[in-house]
Amino acid sequence: MVQAIDNRTDLVARLVSTGPHPRLAGWDRAEVDVLDAEPVAGYADLLSSNVGQRMLFAVPSPLMTDAVPGSIIRARARLAASGEAMAENRPAPGAFVVEPPK
């Protein structure tokens, strides 16, 4: 098993599509366009290189209940050992935000 570097990045992304994650029960796999990314102090930043690109992003399903294509998602994420970007499982209040499309 590959050990992941402890990493975090604050992402802003536009939701393209979402559906159940094929391997993780209780999670969705969102396809997003990454609009912005900021490093988190004290952690390696492994996701900022995705700004301007489309990527897959695993998110706990309960966090995606209000998300529709075009929504803006603001979330803290990490790159897992599997190579998949993942949102925090239990974000602090206000740390995962879904803004409706304009």
Side-chain angles (χ1 to χ4, degrees):
M1 180 174 165
V2 175
Q3 181 152 351
I5 296 171
D6 196 11
N7 68 95
R8 300 287 184 280
T9 305
D10 287 332
L11 294 178
V12 178
R14 180 175 291 112
L15 180 63
V16 176
S17 65
T18 189
H21 195 286
R23 294 184 335 270
L24 301 173
W27 288 70
D28 284 3
R29 180 182 277 171
E31 184 176 15
V32 298
D33 290 331
V34 182
L35 304 175
D36 193 23
E38 293 291 328
V40 174
Y43 293 94
D45 174 12
L46 302 182
L47 293 172
S48 285
S49 62
N50 290 294
V51 172
Q53 298 180 32
R54 188 164 286 181
M55 74 175 200
L56 296 175
F57 183 42
V59 180
S61 298
L63 298 177
M64 295 297 285
T65 56
D66 295 330
V68 296
S71 295
I72 300 297
I73 297 172
R74 297 176 188 278
R76 181 158 291 173
R78 68 183 175 86
L79 186 63
S82 65
E84 182 170 35
M86 299 185 75
E88 291 181 310
N89 190 23
R90 292 183 189 93
F96 186 97
V97 177
V98 175
E99 299 172 2
K102 295 180 181 183

